[in-house]
Amino acid sequence: MRSTTTRRAIWAALAGLTAVLPLQAADLAITQFRVRGPAGGNDEFVELQNTGTAALDVSGYKLNGSNASGTASTRSTLPAGTTIAPGCFLLLANGASGGYSGSVAPDVKYSTGVTDDGGLALLDATGTIVDQVGMSAGSAYKLGTPLTSLGSTNADQGYGRRTNGSGLPQATGDNAADWVKVAPTAPRASTSPCASFGLSLSIADATVTVRNGDDQTVPFAVTLSEPSSADVTVHAATADDTATVAAGDYDAVDTDVTIPAGSTSAAVNVTVHGATAAGPDKAFRVNLTNASGGGVTIAKASAIGAILNEIPVAAEIWQVTGRGQVSPLLGKRVATRGNVVTAVGPAGFTIQTPDDRADADRLTSNGIYVFTGGAPTVKAGDKVDVEATVDNYFSLPELKDATITTTMRGAKLPKAVVFGNDVPSSDPSALSCGETNFQCYVGMRVQIDNGMITTGNLRFSNEPFAEVYVTANGKRSLREPGVRYTVPVPEGVNLPNWSGNPQVFKMNTADFGAVAPNTPFNAGTTFRAEGVMSYAFGAYTFIPTKVTVKKAAELPRAVDARPFYATRVGALNTERFCDTEFNTTFTCSGGDKEPTADEVKLKTQRLSAYIGSVLKLPDILSVEEVKSLQVLQGLAKQLGDDYPAQYEAILQPGHDPSGINVGFLVRTDRVRVLDVRQLGADETWQDQGATAFVHDHPPLLLTAEVPSLVGRVRVNVIAVHPKARQNVDKTGTTAERDRQKRFLQAKSLATQVQALQTDRKNLLAPLLVVGDFNAYQFSDGFTDVVGLISGRYDDSQNLLKLGGNVVKPALWNAVESVPAQDRYSFLFTENFSNIQGQSPRQVPTHQVLDHALLNTVARGLFLQMQYGRGNLDAPVQTLDDAATATDKRKAIGSSDHDGFVVDMLTLPLGVF
């Protein structure tokens, strides 16, 4: 269930104290930062300051960043031996390309930036947040009202911390109140002069644990920032909060406290009364006022006294878990008896209420994890009594610090919840657990009879083959018709929202030993399993105790061999097949530099393996994202060296600022090329006030002759690669611009297609429009690119209206012939942010972006369409390992798309 321990967040258990959480004393603070500077989005820094009176060892502390969707990750872990002297600073800066440009040298560099509307957090070595600040409501890190984003202007501006009368960073628990915009910024590092704070007083929080009726004395430390030459006196008085004097929780204190000259500390002692029964945690305050002597000021005037009632509460498991991700008994000691051990892991075990005592509330779980920290002594089927503290580990209620008593062996395991077609729900408006789809099953036994692995293993830390995504209904996680989940349906569009596939979840097969660690699984593998549900790192995860593979998916999975009487046309997005030269506006690679000669050679070999062994040597292959004719000629030669086929490379440069183009590989031993020309290459439009080309990658028309039933037949193939849709589902001018450009590109191509269809010499010629359309086989609600090009555009389903189809008769999308569960050519992880108050939820989604549109003649000759599997279904580690393979496995990971082939009826007439 988990592999590390975490500090108990005691304050989260104190009812009514959320407003005072940020007031807890901390000697380390973020005091200045910027997330964009004169050099761009990576020109950023974060300044830390030690505001205490002693040096701070910050080894292992972490700087985390979040985006506006709440996705957070570590940007830097401070190296061992890192210390910050009193009043001094530590400067962290982005060292990536276009990074920090300031004159003050940073102490620590990191390489992943923070978004303009994200947030920052400083965590100690145990993972506890020390300080945090956010620039949007969606950031995972913020306090109170977040700051306003400073936008995307490349200027020297950031935020600095306000200070109080003692010169200490202000910490009211509200970002908007504690921070102020600074321009220009003035970052300070360990080499900068340290701050000298004035003489100030602080009072520290204190905690007492109540386990019986005995009274206890609780000292609150009152501390001077430095010794004073005179006595310092301050008034200290208690104040009720959830703990009150009237209820007998503690004795009031109202007194003066003196710190003698030359000393730095004194104590305020408060008597806390014990308890004889379980009850809520409570808290009171101790406030400082009226300080005098030596010109002293009060830096921290209020302390929290936490009274933690650890007398165990007798509770059933469902009372511990409650209905949400945070237990209603968080932080309490509980005693839960007579429950059955259902699964045992290396550091804990799960228990579940016997069936005859299970509650009738479907929204509460009857199972929970008991964390032992080492190998448990219990076995599945043991009945146990457990007394433990309720904890919350990454939004997972669990029991820790447990005393465990086994009362019976060989008990019947509670009945498992069966996951299948209806559970978990595939309807986001009727989730299985109310606000979530899995929370009410966490810790409980689950049985899956018809599971499918929908992604290969992810890679995590030192686990090359970690968890996989799965469904329990035996189906792929496919993108289905409708407007993207969470995106409002545009006005005038008659479409529903796509569901977002809420039935998808993770499976980690190794945690409870169901299979050996680092066992690879390919997507498409079907299985049966038993185990328990868990939650970790923002995702609901099934941990099996038993897994049976029903049918293992192999990789690569090639298409069928070309029938001897067929002509094969295919398409493959080669994923930025670049040369070594940086001679374009942006790099072809999409990174900071172009590939080396060895990297180009390896890419060529992998693509050859894919085209030859997976797509089985198409006669005509449309290729997308190719930098130059020279690299494509290198691939043609490689294919000739590797296989009994001779290819000609065809490419005409377009207008993409990174230099990627569309082209063809044509088998000269089977196909005679008659003509190649770009379509609409010179067409322009007004792009936000400037004249620009409509097509970055102008469609490329290949006219050729192939052998057929009636002799040599003219065939037209158009290779396409319209604009990507990464902004389509968003709002704002960029999204509107991208939608309009995609619409114009599709309309331009539709006009060219119709011209071909009505050209007398092409009336009997098969026409295929193939490639990466960057669009689905149905409308996304904004612009149905495939529908427009094929003549099947429905204005009622699109924000942008066409007013009547251009292409008549309509083309047919051969994707419709592919089995439904095999209709995918791209894998995209959808990040559904902050849905229903949950953590951001990631869902890998299989999409069709690569299509084949056929005219009436081509459809009449159509035999089949197949996708070759070698890229999307592999584990992450396998994609890397395949690079060194010497057989057909070298094809795995050659691109981020799976290519396809279409076979049309012909006869082998030999040489032309």
Side-chain angles (χ1 to χ4, degrees):
M1 294 283 253
R2 65 172 177 134
S3 57
T4 58
T5 59
T6 187
R7 184 192 297 182
R8 175 182 173 186
I10 58 173
W11 301 109
L14 304 183
L17 291 183
T18 54
V20 299
L21 291 179
L23 299 181
Q24 295 176 54
D27 290 337
L28 188 62
I30 302 171
T31 48
Q32 190 180 177
F33 70 92
R34 79 179 181 209
V35 292
R36 176 180 292 272
N42 283 337
D43 190 359
E44 56 185 43
F45 69 81
V46 180
E47 174 191 282
L48 310 180
Q49 185 180 19
N50 176 4
T51 61
T53 59
L56 273 177
D57 182 353
V58 291
S59 304
Y61 278 48
K62 291 180 171 58
L63 174 68
N64 276 19
S66 168
N67 61 18
S69 299
T71 301
S73 62
T74 297
R75 300 310 197 257
S76 177
T77 300
L78 301 186
T82 305
T83 60
I84 310 176
C88 297
F89 303 91
L90 192 76
L91 186 63
L92 292 77
N94 192 335
S97 176
Y100 172 67
S101 64
S103 59
V104 178
D107 300 295
V108 177
K109 291 184 178 181
Y110 56 94
S111 58
T112 302
V114 178
T115 58
D116 297 323
D117 52 0
L120 297 164
L122 181 65
L123 288 70
D124 68 16
T126 70
T128 301
I129 294 178
V130 175
D131 197 9
Q132 56 185 313
V133 57
M135 293 163 287
S136 66
S139 171
Y141 303 122
K142 58 186 178 296
L143 288 172
T145 302
L147 305 176
T148 301
S149 169
L150 296 178
S152 57
T153 300
N154 294 338
D156 186 7
Q157 56 183 354
Y159 278 103
R161 198 105 185 209
R162 298 180 189 271
T163 55
N164 60 21
S166 301
L168 292 165
Q170 180 173 298
T172 66
D174 184 75
N175 287 158
D178 293 341
W179 293 84
V180 62
K181 178 182 174 181
V182 290
T185 59
R188 294 164 289 188
S190 60
T191 54
S192 303
C194 300
S196 178
F197 302 119
L199 186 65
S200 63
L201 277 168
S202 298
I203 185 169
D205 304 321
T207 302
V208 61
T209 299
V210 174
R211 293 186 174 89
N212 51 44
D214 296 342
D215 292 345
Q216 298 182 64
T217 299
V218 182
F220 289 79
V222 179
T223 307
L224 273 175
S225 58
E226 59 187 68
S228 172
S229 59
D231 291 351
V232 172
T233 300
V234 66
H235 186 74
T238 54
D240 288 347
D241 200 291
T242 52
T244 66
V245 173
D249 296 318
Y250 71 99
D251 291 340
V253 171
D254 192 344
T255 186
D256 288 333
V257 178
T258 298
I259 299 178
S263 298
T264 58
S265 63
V268 177
N269 293 315
V270 180
T271 299
V272 172
H273 301 301
T276 57
D281 296 336
K282 297 182 178 181
F284 61 94
R285 302 168 186 264
V286 179
N287 298 318
L288 301 183
T289 57
N290 301 326
S292 62
V296 70
T297 59
I298 299 177
K300 184 173 183 292
S302 183
I304 300 170
I307 305 173
L308 304 183
N309 186 318
E310 291 209 347
I311 299 173
V313 178
E316 293 282 10
I317 292 175
W318 74 80
Q319 294 172 312
V320 178
T321 59
R323 289 187 169 191
Q325 289 184 314
V326 177
S327 167
L329 297 175
L330 180 65
K332 301 299 299 179
R333 291 291 290 183
V334 296
T336 183
R337 306 186 186 282
N339 299 300
V340 181
V341 177
T342 56
V344 179
F349 58 94
T350 52
I351 54 175
Q352 187 169 332
T353 312
D355 291 336
D356 60 356
R357 293 204 332 262
D359 72 331
D361 186 351
R362 71 177 183 85
L363 300 183
T364 59
S365 172
N366 283 280
I368 197 166
Y369 181 66
V370 181
F371 175 64
T372 56
T377 58
V378 298
K379 297 181 179 179
D382 287 355
K383 188 169 282 190
V384 295
D385 296 339
V386 177
E387 181 183 311
T389 300
V390 181
D391 197 12
N392 194 50
Y393 184 77
F394 288 98
S395 299
L396 175 71
E398 68 175 26
L399 300 177
K400 74 170 194 175
D401 301 330
T403 300
I404 303 154
T405 303
T406 301
T407 61
M408 178 182 174
R409 305 280 187 184
K412 181 180 179 181
L413 296 181
K415 186 178 179 180
V417 178
V418 178
F419 278 13
N421 289 331
D422 300 321
V423 178
S425 172
S426 58
D427 182 354
S429 64
L431 298 175
S432 298
C433 297
E435 292 187 354
T436 74
N437 225 4
F438 302 95
Q439 184 63 38
C440 58
Y441 307 120
V442 167
M444 294 180 63
R445 293 190 68 227
V446 167
Q447 177 180 318
I448 300 172
D449 294 325
N450 191 29
M452 175 177 278
I453 295 172
T454 66
T455 67
N457 305 73
L458 306 181
R459 188 165 50 199
F460 179 75
S461 187
N462 61 344
E463 301 175 45
F465 295 94
E467 66 269 27
V468 294
Y469 279 90
V470 301
T471 62
N473 58 11
K475 297 178 181 179
R476 290 267 182 180
S477 174
L478 298 175
R479 178 59 159 91
E480 296 174 348
V483 178
R484 185 185 187 271
Y485 183 48
T486 74
V487 173
V489 176
E491 185 176 352
V493 173
N494 184 25
L495 280 178
N497 275 109
W498 166 52
S499 70
N501 292 349
Q503 71 275 14
V504 177
F505 55 103
K506 283 185 179 181
M507 177 171 72
N508 196 330
T509 57
D511 280 8
F512 281 173
V515 299
N518 294 316
T519 297
F521 291 98
N522 295 329
T525 296
T526 56
F527 67 94
R528 185 186 183 283
E530 296 178 8
V532 294
M533 281 303 297
S534 182
Y535 183 90
F537 303 105
Y540 290 100
T541 304
F542 173 64
I543 303 178
T545 54
K546 185 186 304 181
V547 173
T548 301
V549 172
K550 297 166 70 173
K551 183 178 180 181
E554 296 183 359
L555 281 181
R557 298 196 301 279
V559 299
D560 296 337
R562 177 184 59 81
F564 77 95
Y565 48 81
T567 293
R568 173 161 288 180
V569 178
L572 173 64
N573 183 317
T574 61
E575 191 188 9
R576 296 191 173 271
F577 186 23
C578 306
D579 57 28
T580 60
E581 291 188 70
F582 186 5
N583 54 3
T584 48
T585 304
F586 305 114
T587 58
C588 168
S589 69
D592 298 328
K593 59 183 180 179
E594 300 293 30
T596 65
D598 285 343
E599 289 169 336
V600 173
K601 179 179 179 181
L602 176 60
K603 176 82 170 180
T604 302
Q605 292 170 343
R606 298 181 80 172
L607 288 171
S608 175
Y610 184 87
I611 295 168
S613 63
V614 179
L615 297 184
K616 297 294 183 69
L617 301 172
D619 297 313
I620 300 172
L621 181 68
S622 164
V623 288
E624 300 89 52
E625 295 194 11
V626 179
K627 168 69 179 297
S628 66
L629 179 60
Q630 288 72 28
V631 293
L632 193 58
Q633 287 171 334
L635 177 55
K637 181 180 183 304
Q638 186 72 51
L639 281 162
D641 292 342
D642 294 342
Y643 302 96
Q646 297 300 314
Y647 278 95
E648 176 188 359
I650 299 171
L651 182 143
Q652 294 183 9
H655 311 299
D656 190 291
S658 63
I660 57 175
N661 303 286
V662 297
F664 285 103
L665 287 170
V666 180
R667 283 191 62 171
T668 56
D669 55 329
R670 289 181 47 80
V671 178
R672 177 184 296 170
V673 176
L674 301 179
D675 184 49
V676 179
R677 61 187 174 94
Q678 290 181 330
L679 303 178
D682 297 328
E683 292 182 21
T684 60
W685 71 303
Q686 288 301 301
D687 185 359
Q688 299 177 325
T691 300
F693 290 108
V694 170
H695 297 284
D696 297 318
H697 322 121
L700 191 61
L701 169 62
L702 171 75
T703 302
E705 284 186 344
V706 297
S708 78
L709 288 169
V710 293
R712 297 173 184 173
V713 167
R714 181 189 193 88
V715 62
N716 292 309
V717 182
I718 303 176
V720 302
H721 189 207
K723 180 171 179 52
R725 63 177 313 280
Q726 69 261 31
N727 293 313
V728 167
D729 299 315
K730 301 177 183 178
T731 58
T733 55
T734 300
E736 293 169 358
R737 176 258 183 194
D738 285 4
R739 294 171 194 157
Q740 182 67 24
K741 183 169 183 176
R742 284 163 55 83
F743 180 82
L744 291 176
Q745 288 177 339
K747 188 174 181 181
S748 167
L749 180 53
T751 303
Q752 298 284 349
V753 167
Q754 186 61 13
L756 277 173
Q757 287 208 127
T758 56
D759 184 350
R760 293 186 61 183
K761 65 177 177 291
N762 289 304
L763 290 179
L764 299 179
L767 168 65
L768 298 90
V769 185
V770 298
D772 175 6
F773 285 69
N774 274 315
Y776 312 133
Q777 67 271 41
F778 38 73
S779 177
D780 58 20
F782 299 97
T783 300
D784 182 1
V785 170
V786 174
L788 204 164
I789 297 170
S790 64
R792 300 175 185 272
Y793 199 82
D794 184 346
D795 276 353
S796 71
Q797 294 186 353
N798 291 279
L799 177 65
L800 301 186
K801 308 302 182 184
L802 180 60
N805 278 294
V806 177
V807 177
K808 298 175 183 179
L811 307 185
W812 173 68
N813 192 348
V815 169
E816 295 178 15
S817 71
V818 177
Q821 290 301 303
D822 204 36
R823 294 181 191 175
Y824 63 95
S825 64
F826 188 71
L827 180 62
F828 179 66
T829 299
E830 305 271 359
N831 188 354
F832 299 127
S833 304
N834 298 318
I835 297 172
Q836 298 171 329
Q838 303 174 52
S839 300
R841 179 171 174 268
Q842 294 187 331
V843 182
T845 305
H846 295 77
Q847 314 172 342
V848 177
L849 297 184
D850 302 81
H851 305 263
L853 308 182
L854 280 61
N855 71 349
T856 303
V857 178
R859 185 175 184 181
L861 300 171
F862 174 80
L863 295 173
Q864 65 177 343
M865 178 181 184
Q866 303 171 81
Y867 288 98
R869 302 304 178 191
N871 300 316
L872 309 182
D873 292 347
V876 174
Q877 185 63 43
T878 299
L879 297 175
D880 292 342
D881 292 345
T884 58
T886 56
D887 55 14
K888 65 181 181 180
R889 289 174 298 171
K890 202 175 196 71
I892 299 173
S894 57
S895 174
D896 59 351
H897 286 242
D898 277 340
F900 68 81
V901 294
V902 170
D903 291 332
M904 293 189 303
L905 184 65
T906 60
L907 280 180
L909 299 182
V911 179
F912 294 111

